[in-house]
Amino acid sequence: MQTTPVTGHSPSASTPAPVLTLLPEKGASYIRHAWADFRAGMKLARLGTTLGWLDIKLRYRGSILGPFWLTASTAVMVAAMGVLYAYLMNMDVHKYLPFLTLSLVLWGFVGSTLQDGCTTFTSAASLIHSARMPYSLHVLRATVRNLLTLAHNIPVVLVVFLLFRVVPTWSWTMPVACALWIFDSFMATLLLGILGARFRDVPPIVASTLQILFFVTPILWAPELMKTGQNWLLLDPFFPLLEILRTPFTGDIVQAAIWPAALAWSAGLTVLTFALFARMRARLAYWV
């Protein structure tokens, strides 16, 4: 059933653009409206960045060290675990500690992005209900918030690299890998935000899965410790994404299959996320 838009004019007058269209979306309109949401969100990138910055300030309001508690806790964990695991795995601490430091910092960003992504829309329910804003703006806000959290742990990596004189292998792949990480974090936040709004069991499921993947993914242990079957690690979506950013910084050589695997996982994430967002975008306001 079609509805006549409310315009405030007589039926004989020229009909302007409708204030509200109640017709259901069909066919290509899903994709068109989802893409328009992304464009509108990117136009408000400055607002999303500001909101993410305010989230960090409010989170640590009243604290003496503020977010630098993250830096201190990361430094203590690296110092304790680095020496212990280097001894247990019979590895050179000068090589293992920089590897572990960068791995823990990157995994911390992965964990905070995925867990925070589950509540992207539910935590912004009041804003979604009170103002008509693009949903991608809330995703951008969460992405900026996690990037700022990551920035507070970067000094730990710099100090360890300076102490052990680790020289990164600078190449064009490093900025590409950083851009791919930011893009994937945006898409993962959007995907989990949709699933978390519809199914409230998603946050504990993600938390439990991350605990398992923390030990399965080469974070505490180097991939070289696997004498056979290293190609099976490519089935772990986090391993190639970690390697394209971790390997150049530690001065190692990236394997030939790492970049194709990382791009393939990123492409799959993008297609799945955009398809789900295009189909479920109109229902998000009712789920939260």
Side-chain angles (χ1 to χ4, degrees):
M1 181 179 69
Q2 295 184 349
T3 59
T4 303
V6 179
T7 60
H9 295 274
S10 61
S12 59
S14 59
T15 304
V19 177
L20 179 63
T21 301
L22 298 180
L23 293 174
E25 293 182 328
K26 294 181 180 180
S29 63
Y30 287 113
I31 300 177
R32 185 173 64 254
H33 292 157
W35 184 248
D37 190 292
F38 281 127
R39 293 202 311 269
M42 293 303 104
K43 290 180 181 179
L44 297 175
R46 184 176 180 181
L47 175 60
T49 303
T50 303
L51 291 174
W53 172 260
L54 289 177
D55 288 340
I56 296 296
K57 292 186 65 176
L58 292 175
R59 180 182 298 177
Y60 297 99
R61 183 177 56 182
S63 175
I64 298 177
L65 293 179
F68 289 100
W69 279 111
L70 296 174
T71 307
S73 62
T74 303
V76 172
M77 182 170 58
V78 166
M81 296 180 62
V83 177
L84 175 62
Y85 279 87
Y87 173 76
L88 292 177
M89 292 184 289
N90 195 23
M91 296 184 65
D92 183 10
V93 69
H94 293 81
K95 181 177 179 58
Y96 178 70
L97 198 58
F99 168 85
L100 178 66
T101 303
L102 186 57
S103 299
L104 289 177
V105 169
L106 292 178
W107 185 257
F109 173 71
V110 170
S112 63
T113 297
L114 298 184
Q115 294 186 23
D116 198 18
C118 297
T119 58
T120 298
F121 298 122
T122 55
S123 61
S126 58
L127 188 58
I128 292 175
H129 293 159
S130 61
R132 191 173 182 179
M133 305 175 69
Y135 291 107
S136 56
L137 176 65
H138 306 292
V139 180
L140 179 62
R141 174 185 182 179
T143 303
V144 170
R145 183 167 62 238
N146 288 296
L147 287 173
L148 291 175
T149 303
L150 171 65
H152 288 91
N153 288 325
I154 291 179
V156 180
V157 179
L158 294 178
V159 170
V160 172
F161 276 36
L162 289 174
L163 288 176
F164 292 96
R165 298 179 181 180
V166 177
V167 180
T169 305
W170 299 103
S171 65
W172 64 270
T173 60
M174 297 181 69
V176 175
C178 292
L180 187 62
W181 265 70
I182 297 175
F183 178 78
D184 285 349
S185 64
F186 181 90
M187 286 298 173
T189 301
L190 177 58
L191 175 63
L192 292 176
I194 298 172
L195 296 177
R198 180 62 182 88
F199 305 102
R200 301 308 167 90
D201 296 329
V202 171
I205 292 175
V206 170
S208 301
T209 304
L210 284 174
Q211 290 181 353
I212 299 173
L213 291 175
F214 177 74
F215 296 101
V216 175
T217 306
I219 298 171
L220 299 178
W221 51 278
E224 294 78 14
L225 293 178
M226 292 186 63
K227 302 302 181 182
T228 58
Q230 290 190 16
N231 291 332
W232 290 103
L233 292 175
L234 299 177
L235 298 178
D236 182 354
F238 298 105
F239 171 67
L241 291 174
L242 281 170
E243 281 292 281
I244 62 174
L245 192 58
R246 179 174 58 189
T247 305
F249 277 99
T250 55
D252 298 324
I253 299 176
V254 182
Q255 299 178 6
I258 294 298
W259 266 103
L263 293 176
W265 281 112
S266 300
L269 173 64
T270 302
V271 172
L272 176 62
T273 302
F274 186 81
L276 186 64
F277 178 62
R279 188 67 180 84
M280 303 300 178
R281 185 188 61 86
R283 307 180 187 181
L284 283 175
Y286 301 97
W287 289 344
V288 299

